[in-house]
Every structure is written in structure tokens, then in C-alpha cells.
Amino acid sequence: MSALEPRDADSGVAPDTSAVLSPDGGSVLDREHRALSIGIVSVVLLIAFEATAVGTAMPVAARELNGIPLYAFAFSAYFTTSLFAMVLSGQWSDRGGPLAPLTVGISAFAAGLLLSGTAGTMWLFIVGRAVQGLGGGLVIVALYVIVSRAYSEQLRPAIMAAFAASWVIPSVVGPLASGTITEHLGWRWVFVGIPVLVLPALALALPAIRRTASGPADPAAPLPPYDRRRIRLALGISAGAGLLQYAGQELRWLSLLPAAAGAALLVPAVLGLLPRGTYRAARGLPSVVLLRGIAAGSFIAAESFVPLMLVTQRGMSPTLAGLSLAVGGATWALGSWIQSRPWTEPYRERLVVIGMLLVAAAIGAAPTVLIEAVPVWVVAVAWGYGCLGMGMVIASTSVLLLKLSAPEEAGANSAALQISDGLSNVLLLAVGGAAFAALGGGAVGHAATATGGAGHPVAFAAVFLPMAGVALAGAWVATRLGVRNQHPSDV
């Protein structure tokens, strides 16, 4: 989705560019920020194309590699390795600037896509997704540090809205292109073709970042050493999340051993890396971080199973299954645009509560298509409203995080926000994947017929309905973001 609204082809009215303007007249597209804004939005555009295209091709890839029982693992492997990369990127960015972690991250992202696209087994495919996760974790935190350094507090809601807007075109074009390529050339071409987008993104982003946001936050201060304790905790959180995911997929009594080991690694690591009070939703920064995890985890865990549900239960093609989610790109951008309006600032907490209620309703409505009489377009409508809510919530938590962070802490706090996001994705995908496999979901790829109706609707319902409950809990956490009178030093 682009930072600029497209011209309305029907009305002939020029786009409303006020989304990129700050209350004092500054703009993310003025001479000072134009090259940087276009460059980093191009990086987000690359990530968006990957997410929408790969999600459409994933059911076919898993079925061809005999990996339907490991379907959730193919998603969560990305998030598992990204957890470590986020902490590393936060320290790397605070210490020497975001340029190096961004460059390395994009390179690893592309390498992982190539590895998955050439994989001969599902486990090798998952390894490729893990490499992708390393790159993605480095990139996302580096982008937040760039925003914190290069944009004023008044401009940050607008650039966050631009990030969300950069998903519009990929959300429409990505599923269509991916589905067409998958059906006519094969799913592998989806993975090996996306890295072509890396070079333009790098060419646009890196020179502008070098000029405006490179180097340490305070060049005169001595370089701080790497916090080896946090790096060890980051390794623990990634290893623990991976063990829990593996235990959830195996579903044997012996799986209790890796589950226990994963929990033993995960709990102290989470307590050490997230703000104090996150687990109990303490007001301010802890609740911002917790809400980000709840929103992202519940939504992504549910969305990961939507294409598989439509392909196997309603007999849709991968192209149509992917396009059923396409409207979400536009409504996500709309939600992010709404939160960027100056008049919404006093009502940000209320806006986030409404957003979480929309997310919960959308997730709860999606599995109604398991009933044959319910038309499949219900999913598209529900997901449109859910993405509207996510646009308001995700962008608002990003804005609040940076508002509560001193410049020299932007990397560490951004890493905490992304850890909450990624860890929740891993854990909720693990829970959803385990429930899905336990109720016979692993057989849907073999049982599906050309007309759908594979006969495992309960397995899908066991994923969606609990996630709707998690999202509903997030609406309560959203009432505890009261930060209007809070200063970062008070957190």
C-alpha cells in the first residue's frame, strides 16, 4: 500500500494527501523526507508482496511436499527465528545505526525465499522459512529505529499509515499473481521470483538511510557494548518457542519433554526481554507491548488457516482463496489512516478498543463458511472489517511505543514490541496447529476433493474460535493504554 492514496478512477478527484501531513504543515514527502520515505516504504512493499504471495501458495506447497501436518510450523518457523533477530537488531541499531542490520536483513530474507523455493522436503522448506525470519526480524526493528530518528513525533503517525498503505497493491495483486503462477507454473516460482524485488528496494532505501539515519544516536558518546545477557535471553526465547512448536506438532506423550524444556527456556527469557509488568497488563508501555502481541498473534494464527480452509473445505482455487483476503489490504490501510488523523489523538485508546472488537468479530465470523449454506464471500467481508481494526491497532501501538521511548532506547523498546508480536504468533500458531492436527486436520490435504467438503470442519473451528476469544481479551488490554500524561522516564 502506497503512502499516497490512488486517484479515484471513477470520480476523477485527486487523492487526499493529508494523510502524509503533520499538524504543523510538515510532510513525510517534503524535500527533507521524500527519498527516505519512498525508500523505506519500498522495503515494506517487498515484505507485503512476500506475505500475500507466499500465503496464497502455501497450501499447495504443503500438500505437494506432504507437509499438511506441519502447515502451522511453516508459518511459525519464520516468527521463531525472527525473535532472536529482533533483539540483535535492536542492539545493533542502537549501537551503530540501522543501516547495517537493514542491509543484512533484506539479504537473509531473500536467501530464505530461495531456499524454500528449491526445497525437496517440508522440513527443508521450513528451514528456508526460518532463514527468512532472521532477515525479517533484523529489518522490522531497523525500520522502527529509522522512523524514531528521522521523523518528528508529529510525522510518525503519517509514516506508519504509509507503511500500512503499502499493503494495498500487494493485497490485490499478490494473491492473484501468486495463484496464477502456482496453478500454471508451480508454487516454487512464487518463492524464487520474489527476491527480484530486493534490488529496487535496496537501491531506493540505503542511500537515503545513510544520509539521514545512519550511525549511533549520539555520535559523541562512546559506543555501548552489546548486552550479552539480552542476546542469551533472545536465544532462549527462540529455542523455547521452537521446542514448544515442535511439541505441539508431534502430539505424543514424549512431546511433553520438549514442551517442558521450551517453557523452561521461554519464561525467564520473556520476563527479561519485555517491559516489567507486561504479563499483568500494567498501564502504559507494558500494555502497549502486550496488546501488540495479542492483536498480531490472534489475527495471524487465524489468517494462516483461511486459504487452507477455503481450498480444502469449499473447493476454491488457490487464486480465489487468496483473493478472498485481498480487500483486507485496503481496509487495513484505511484503519491506519484513521489513526493518523490529528483529531483522533485524544481518542486513541477508544479507537484501539473498537479495533480489537472488530478483529474478534472477524475471526469469529470466518469459520461460518464451514456451513455449506453460507456463501464464501462472508470471509472476504469479515476479513475486511478485521483488517480495518488491525490497521487502527497495529499503527497505534507503534506510535505509542515510540512516544514512550527515549531516542537511545528506541531500538530496545522496538525490539520488545516486535518480540511480543512474533512470540505471540509462534505460541498461538502452535496452539492452533496442535488443535488442528489433533482433530484430524492433517488429513485435509489428502481428503479434499475438487468440490471441497473434506470433512474436517471441527479442526478449523478449533483454530478460529479460540483466537476470537484471545482477540476479545485484547479489547480489555486496550483500555489500559492510558499514556496521555505519562512520560518515558515514568515507565
Side-chain angles (χ1 to χ4, degrees), residues 1 5 161 164-166 168 328-338 387 391:
M1 310 169 190
E5 296 293 328
S166 65
V168 170
T331 57
W332 190 307
L334 175 62
S336 187
W337 178 85
I338 290 171
C387 286

Side-chain angles (χ1 to χ4, degrees), residues 360-378:
I363 297 174
T368 59
V369 299
L370 294 168
I371 303 170
E372 194 69 27
V374 176
V376 293
W377 54 258
V378 168

Side-chain angles (χ1 to χ4, degrees), residues 203-356:
L204 282 168
L206 297 187
I209 295 169
R210 186 177 292 110
R211 290 193 303 269
T212 59
S214 61
D218 184 359
L223 288 179
Y226 283 102
D227 188 337
R228 296 185 178 182
R229 174 180 172 275
R230 287 184 66 84
I231 292 177
R232 287 196 300 269
L233 291 174
L235 285 171
I237 205 171
S238 292
L243 286 169
L244 284 175
Q245 176 66 26
Y246 175 78
Q249 291 294 314
E250 288 300 307
L251 296 178
R252 296 180 300 175
W253 284 109
L254 287 177
S255 298
L256 293 175
L257 295 177
L265 288 170
L266 198 60
V267 172
V270 170
L271 294 177
L273 290 173
L274 299 186
R276 184 178 302 173
T278 298
Y279 72 95
R280 55 182 174 84
R283 287 193 176 273
L285 183 62
S287 284
V288 171
V289 172
L290 177 61
L291 179 63
R292 178 58 164 263
I294 289 175
S298 59
F299 191 79
I300 294 299
E303 186 178 58
S304 299
F305 284 86
V306 170
L308 185 67
M309 177 175 66
L310 295 178
V311 169
T312 62
Q313 303 298 295
R314 297 301 295 264
M316 295 181 68
S317 69
T319 302
L320 291 177
L323 283 175
S324 68
L325 305 179
V327 69
T331 57
W332 190 307
L334 175 62
S336 187
W337 178 85
I338 290 171
Q339 68 79 38
S340 74
R341 304 290 73 212
W343 60 265
T344 64
E345 188 60 35
Y347 310 102
R348 189 172 294 279
E349 184 175 290
R350 189 178 305 171
L351 197 69
V352 174
V353 172
I354 293 171
M356 288 308 304

Side-chain angles (χ1 to χ4, degrees), residues 56-81:
T56 302
M58 193 74 79
V60 178
R63 196 156 51 186
E64 185 174 311
L65 295 173
N66 297 316
I68 290 291
L70 299 174
Y71 185 78
F73 216 174
F75 286 95
S76 62
Y78 178 100
F79 299 114
T80 299
T81 54

Side-chain angles (χ1 to χ4, degrees), residues 90-138:
Q91 294 201 33
W92 197 350
S93 297
D94 284 341
R95 190 174 188 272
L99 183 61
L102 183 71
T103 306
V104 174
I106 292 177
S107 301
F109 191 81
L113 281 167
L114 292 173
L115 184 57
S116 289
T118 56
T121 66
M122 190 62 178
W123 279 112
L124 187 57
F125 179 90
I126 290 170
V127 170
R129 294 286 291 164
V131 174
Q132 261 189 274
L134 287 172
L138 291 172

Side-chain angles (χ1 to χ4, degrees), residues 109-180:
F109 191 81
L113 281 167
L114 292 173
L115 184 57
S116 289
T118 56
T121 66
M122 190 62 178
W123 279 112
L124 187 57
F125 179 90
I126 290 170
V127 170
R129 294 286 291 164
V131 174
Q132 261 189 274
L134 287 172
L138 291 172
V139 168
I140 190 63
V141 173
L143 286 176
Y144 273 69
V145 176
I146 292 167
V147 170
S148 73
R149 293 190 183 186
Y151 297 88
S152 67
E153 184 174 324
Q154 290 75 22
L155 285 177
R156 288 171 190 165
I159 194 63
M160 291 300 174
F163 283 176
S166 65
W167 284 74
V168 170
I169 294 175
S171 294
V172 176
V173 176
L176 179 61
S178 176
T180 302

